[in-house]
Amino acid sequence: MSRTGTRTIKVDYLARVEGEGSLYLKIQGGRLRDVQLKIFEPPRMFEAFLRGRHFSEVPDIVARICGICPVAYQMSAVHAIEGALGIAVDPAVRLLRRLLYCGEWIESHALHVFFLHAPDFLGYQDALEMARDHRAVVERALALKKAGNQLVALLGGREIHPVAVAVGGFYKTPSRKEVRALRPALEQALEVALETVRFVSGFDFPPFEQDYEFVALSHPQEYPMNEGRIVSNRGLDVDAAEYEDHFAEHQVRHSHALHSVIRVRGSYMVGPLARINLNFDRLTPAARQAAAEAGFAPPCRNPFRSIVARALELVFACEEGLRLIESYEPPARPRLEVEPRAATGQAATEAPRGLLYHRYQIGADGLIRLAKIVPPTSQNQKRIEDDLWGLVPALLDRPEPEILWKCEQAVRNYDPCISCATHFLRLTVDRE
Amino acid sequence: MNFNARRKPKLAVFKFASCDGCQLTLLDAEDELLAVAEAVEIAYFPEASRAVIKGPYDIGLVEGSITTHHDAERIQQVRRQCRTLVTIGACATAGGIQALRNWQDSAEFVRHIYPSPDFIHTLKMSTPIAEHVPVDFELRGCPISKSQLLELISALLAGRKPNIPTYSVCLECKRRLNVCVAVAQGIPCLGPVTQAGCGAICPAYGRGCYGCFGPMETPNTESLRAQLHVLGQTSQEISRAFRSFNAWTWHFRHASDEEERA
C-alpha cells in the first residue's frame, strides 16, 4: 500500500457491543482524514410514541430501549415524573431503588468486563474462546453476573425488563428475609469483584491519554446513582433541570444517534471512568483500597483503563449492596398514590454506561405530551470519534488487522450501547 | 432435525430492530452457558464475539423486527442461511413496541426526533419476521424466558418439538398460588388472554399482567374487554393496554381498534 494513496479501513459490523454500528477511517497521503462512528441500528422512535401514553406506563415502555440496562431507563423515568408531579418517595423506597441499581451495575459491568472487553486485552475473539484457557475466570465472572441478576430479579420480578418499578415506589417490595437471603451470593460476588480488579489491572494498557472533560453526577454523601448534581472537571455544576441549557444534541449524516456536546466546549466523557474520577472519595472502603493496590488514582485519563474503573465499581456495587441489605426495612407503603397534574420534570441518573437524562411534559390528564431521552452512548459518541482521531495516527504503519482491532477496542472502552443510542458498530478505513 | 453426528450444530444469532434483551437472555443463562457452548458451535453472535464462521447454520435465532428496506432484504439472506429459523421475542414475533408507528404517521415520528429527517431511511411499519419469511418456531415474550430458550435449544438438538405451552397466564398464576388481582382487587389484568411463559410475575408483584408474551392460542379478547369496562376502564385505557409490546398481533390489534372505535 502506498503512503501517498487513500486507504479506507472499515469494520462493517462492530462486535461485542450492544446493537448495530460500524467504524469508518479514511487515510490519505499517510494522514488520517476522517473518522466516523456509524450507528445504523434502525431508529425505534420511543420519544415519538411515548406521546399520549399515561405516565404510569412510562417505566415499562422505556425499559425496552435497552435490554442490558432497563433499570437505568426506569430510574431516570420515575425520578423525572415524580419531580414533575411533586412527590417525594419513602426513604426506604429510595434505598431499595439504589439496591436495584447496584444489581444492574453488577450484571452490566460483569458482562462488559469479561464478555465484551477483557478478550481484547488477552487476544481472544470472545469470552467462550477465553474460557478454553481461563475456564475458572469465566466461571467466576458468570457467578458475579448472576449475583447482580439475582438482585434485579428479586426486587424487579425478572432480570430483563423488571416489572416492579412504579412511579411513586414499587408495585411490591420484598420482605427483609427475602432480601437477606441474597447476602451469601453478594458476599461471594464481592470476593470475585476484588479478584477482578487484580486481574484487569495487570493487563497491558496502551500508553494513550487525552485531555477529557469528565461528566457525572455528584452527591455530597454517596457515590452517585439516582441523585446528585451534574458536574465536570471543568467547573460544570448544574441541576438536571438545567441540562438542556448546557448540553446540545446535533444530528450527523452518518449516525442514527444524535451527537451530544457541551455548549461552547464540545465533546465529553460519561461512564465509569468519568464517575470514578469525579467521585473517588465517595467510593466504599474496599473499593478505595482495591484502587490503591491496583495503582489506580484519579484523575485517570487513559480510556483503556476504563476496564479498571468498571472493576472498581463492581467492588463498590457489591459492597454498597451488602450495606443496603443489612439496613433494609420494607417501606410502610410500597408506593404512593400519584395524582396527575400538568407539569414538566427532568432527571438524570447514572446508568452503568453513564449519565442518562430524561424530560417529560405531562398533561393534566396524566398523558405524556413530550418526552426527551439522552442516553449515555449518544453523549460519548463524539468523544469516541475524538479518541480515534488521537489514537489512529500512531498506528498508521501497523498492519490493517492490528489497526482494526485496536480501534474496536478503543470503541469498546466506552461500552457503547447502540440499541440505546439509536434509539451502533461497523469499522471502515478508507486509504488512497 | 437431523444433525450430522460428527460435528456440532452451528448456531447463529441475528439482530434486527430491538433492545438486545432477548439475545442477552442466552448470556444470562449463567449456569448453562458453558454447557450450551459445548453442545453447539456458536458460529455467529456479534454481540458476544468478533469471530464469524460462515453459514449455512443449523439454528438461527432472530431477534428484532423489520423496520428498514435494508433489513427487509437482510432477513431474506438470513432465511437462506438457516436450516431452522426461530424468532425470539416480541419484536421478532409481533413487531415490538416500535410497531406503535403502524397506527401513526411514521414520517412525523422521524421529524419529531431528527432535525434532518432526510438522513433517516425507515419503513412506515414495523413488522414481525414471519411477514417476510417462513419461520419454523416462535418464542414469545418481552423478553423471552430463559427456561423456554434452553428448552427450545435442547429440543432442536434432540430432534423433538419444543414443549412451550400456549395456554394463558391465568394457569401459571394459579400454579404460583397468586390470589387473582382482577377478582380480588379489581386491578385490570391481561392475564386471561396472554400466553404463559413469564411465570405470572406481574400478578405476583401486585399488578395486572400487561401482555408482554402476546395473545394465547384462543384468546377471548371480547369478553375481557367487557370485564375491563366493568372494572371501570375507559375505552381509551383498554385500547392502550392492548397496544404495547405485542400491539401488532392480530388479536391485540383488533381488540385495540374495536375499543378505539367504541
Side-chain angles (χ1 to χ4, degrees):
Chain A
M1 117 200 18
S2 128
R3 285 191 61 88
T4 51
T6 297
R7 226 171 21 136
T8 308
I9 302 183
K10 49 184 184 177
V11 175
D12 284 335
Y13 197 114
L14 270 153
R16 281 192 270 121
V17 300
E18 297 98 3
E20 296 180 288
S22 68
L23 197 51
Y24 170 92
L25 302 181
K26 185 175 179 178
I27 298 156
Q28 202 171 29
R31 292 182 62 181
L32 181 64
R33 294 290 184 190
D34 200 10
V35 173
Q36 292 181 358
L37 181 63
K38 298 187 177 188
I39 295 192
F40 60 91
E41 173 100 17
R44 293 167 66 216
M45 302 189 282
F46 277 82
E47 290 153 317
F49 61 68
L50 278 164
R51 296 171 302 173
R53 305 298 298 209
H54 193 264
F55 72 79
S56 61
E57 300 170 54
V58 173
D60 296 326
I61 294 177
V62 296
R64 269 69 182 185
I65 293 173
C66 180
I68 295 101
C69 55
V71 170
Y73 283 88
Q74 295 187 327
M75 291 298 112
S76 287
V78 295
H79 283 279
I81 294 168
E82 288 162 4
L85 302 178
I87 52 173
V89 297
D90 189 301
V93 163
R94 180 184 182 278
L95 295 181
L96 203 56
R97 285 180 175 171
R98 192 167 166 85
L99 182 59
L100 177 64
Y101 230 148
C102 285
E104 177 159 287
W105 279 26
I106 296 167
E107 161 269 313
S108 178
H109 279 3
L111 176 74
H112 190 260
V113 167
F114 290 100
F115 285 83
L116 309 185
H117 212 192
D120 282 332
F121 290 93
L122 299 172
Y124 296 103
Q125 300 290 330
D126 55 65
L128 294 171
E129 189 185 85
M130 190 167 85
R132 280 179 220 137
D133 300 332
H134 302 275
R135 184 156 182 124
V137 171
V138 174
E139 282 177 348
R140 285 198 299 269
L142 286 163
L144 179 61
K145 187 166 157 302
K146 187 177 172 181
N149 271 331
Q150 283 175 314
L151 257 178
V152 179
L154 173 68
L155 305 187
R158 63 180 164 197
E159 298 88 340
I160 302 170
H161 305 330
V163 303
V165 173
V167 175
F170 286 85
Y171 287 99
K172 181 183 172 228
T173 49
S175 69
R176 192 167 154 74
K177 188 176 162 204
E178 285 173 315
V179 168
R180 288 178 74 99
L182 292 172
R183 197 165 52 178
L186 212 52
E187 281 167 351
Q188 188 205 353
L190 176 58
E191 290 306 312
V192 178
L194 289 165
E195 280 171 39
T196 303
V197 175
R198 291 191 282 272
F199 179 62
V200 302
S201 60
F203 288 169
D204 190 19
F205 297 104
F208 177 74
E209 290 198 343
Q210 297 281 291
D211 187 17
Y212 293 106
E213 177 153 4
F214 300 110
V215 172
L217 290 182
S218 177
H219 185 278
Q221 281 93 37
E222 53 193 27
Y223 199 76
M225 289 185 136
N226 276 306
E227 291 168 24
R229 288 176 67 79
I230 301 168
V231 305
S232 88
N233 52 324
R234 293 193 189 149
L236 182 81
D237 184 351
V238 299
D239 187 80
E242 303 166 273
Y243 176 89
E244 290 172 59
D245 300 336
H246 297 271
F247 296 83
E249 285 187 297
H250 296 302
Q251 189 179 4
V252 292
R253 192 180 277 275
H254 60 265
S255 178
H256 286 170
L258 302 172
H259 276 199
S260 285
V261 290
I262 295 184
R263 294 182 201 271
V264 309
R265 286 200 295 277
S267 71
Y268 59 100
M269 180 198 281
V270 299
L273 195 58
R275 242 172 356 231
I276 208 166
N277 280 333
L278 294 166
N279 295 282
F280 191 79
D281 54 344
R282 282 172 297 267
L283 282 171
T284 47
R288 267 206 306 272
Q289 191 185 337
E293 284 166 13
F296 184 97
C300 169
R301 296 190 178 90
N302 184 340
F304 291 92
R305 293 179 73 101
S306 64
I307 193 170
V308 183
R310 222 166 262 118
L312 289 166
E313 285 196 340
L314 277 166
V315 174
F316 157 75
C318 293
E319 203 180 7
E320 179 74 354
L322 284 166
R323 183 184 73 80
L324 291 163
I325 285 173
E326 270 321 299
S327 63
Y328 177 68
E329 291 290 347
R333 281 189 300 164
R335 70 189 160 110
L336 302 168
E337 285 303 322
V338 184
E339 289 302 321
R341 69 178 191 196
T344 296
Q346 301 90 342
T349 71
E350 286 288 348
R353 285 152 199 80
L355 195 76
L356 170 60
Y357 171 79
H358 286 214
R359 167 166 59 88
Y360 298 99
Q361 186 190 331
I362 304 168
D365 53 6
L367 302 184
I368 301 298
R369 297 283 185 272
L370 263 180
K372 184 179 175 72
I373 295 169
V374 188
T377 298
S378 296
Q379 303 184 66
N380 279 333
Q381 206 178 183
K382 176 92 167 61
R383 187 58 251 180
I384 296 173
E385 287 184 355
D386 288 352
D387 274 12
L388 293 168
W389 279 106
L391 181 73
V392 173
L395 295 172
L396 287 177
D397 293 333
R398 310 299 306 168
E400 209 139 297
E402 190 183 324
I403 302 178
L404 291 185
W405 199 334
K406 196 57 79 186
C407 288
E408 284 181 50
Q409 184 178 355
V411 172
R412 287 193 281 265
N413 286 337
Y414 289 81
D415 188 7
C417 186
I418 294 168
S419 304
C420 296
T422 318
H423 318 243
F424 105 172
L425 272 164
R426 285 190 286 181
L427 174 64
T428 310
V429 183
D430 196 346
R431 286 195 204 231
E432 240 165 47
Chain B
M1 192 187 307
N2 291 313
F3 294 121
N4 184 330
R6 282 175 305 177
R7 68 166 182 87
K8 290 202 271 187
K10 284 157 80 175
L11 177 91
V13 183
F14 301 93
K15 176 190 155 63
F16 293 85
S18 65
C19 79
D20 287 58
C22 289
Q23 51 178 317
L24 180 69
T25 303
L26 186 55
L27 298 177
D28 270 359
E30 287 100 358
D31 295 332
E32 299 87 4
L33 181 63
L34 295 177
V36 171
E38 277 161 20
V40 298
E41 180 176 24
I42 298 181
Y44 181 78
F45 189 3
E47 177 162 322
S49 179
R50 296 180 84 230
V52 174
I53 299 168
K54 281 195 172 146
Y57 307 106
D58 298 290
I59 305 171
L61 302 177
V62 177
E63 174 191 280
S65 70
I66 305 297
T67 60
T68 64
H69 289 290
H70 175 255
D71 279 355
E73 283 166 27
R74 186 162 62 100
I75 189 61
Q76 300 294 335
Q77 292 167 17
V78 166
R79 175 67 265 192
R80 282 196 290 275
Q81 286 181 296
C82 299
R83 285 175 59 185
T84 299
L85 187 147
V86 181
T87 55
I88 56 169
C91 295
T93 63
I97 186 77
Q98 58 273 19
L100 292 177
R101 78 177 67 165
N102 299 0
W103 280 273
Q104 305 286 336
D105 174 3
S106 66
E108 190 276 329
F109 271 30
V110 176
R111 284 196 305 274
H112 178 70
I113 296 173
Y114 295 97
S116 306
D118 297 350
F119 299 175
I120 306 293
H121 302 285
T122 179
L123 295 167
K124 286 190 170 64
M125 309 259 282
S126 168
T127 46
I129 302 301
E131 284 194 23
H132 298 263
V133 295
V135 168
D136 300 298
F137 202 84
E138 295 185 328
L139 273 190
R140 300 286 196 81
C142 185
I144 56 170
S145 135
K146 188 173 16 183
S147 62
Q148 288 196 348
L149 176 64
L150 293 169
E151 160 61 16
L152 172 98
I153 294 173
S154 310
L156 291 178
L157 294 178
R160 63 174 172 81
K161 189 171 177 278
N163 180 16
I164 308 287
T166 55
Y167 49 70
S168 77
V169 170
C170 289
L171 273 77
E172 284 188 316
C173 219
K174 297 293 163 289
R175 273 209 303 271
R176 197 165 171 156
L177 304 174
N178 289 339
V179 174
C180 178
V181 295
V183 170
Q185 298 177 64
I187 296 174
C189 180
L190 294 187
V193 298
T194 300
Q195 181 165 305
C198 63
I201 44 177
C202 283
Y205 277 73
R207 62 182 295 196
C209 164
Y210 59 80
C212 70
F213 273 64
M216 64 176 297
E217 205 166 46
T218 52
N220 191 344
T221 52
E222 205 173 322
S223 167
L224 181 69
R225 280 165 43 211
Q227 186 60 28
L228 292 174
H229 280 294
V230 169
L231 293 178
Q233 293 257 290
T234 65
S235 286
Q236 191 197 25
E237 287 169 330
I238 297 168
S239 180
R240 269 209 317 271
F242 282 108
R243 283 189 196 167
S244 68
F245 314 104
N246 293 278
W248 202 240
T249 57
W250 193 92
H251 290 99
F252 284 10
R253 192 199 318 171
H254 284 265
S256 72
D257 290 343
E258 291 286 319
E259 287 297 328
E260 196 174 52
R261 280 194 290 269

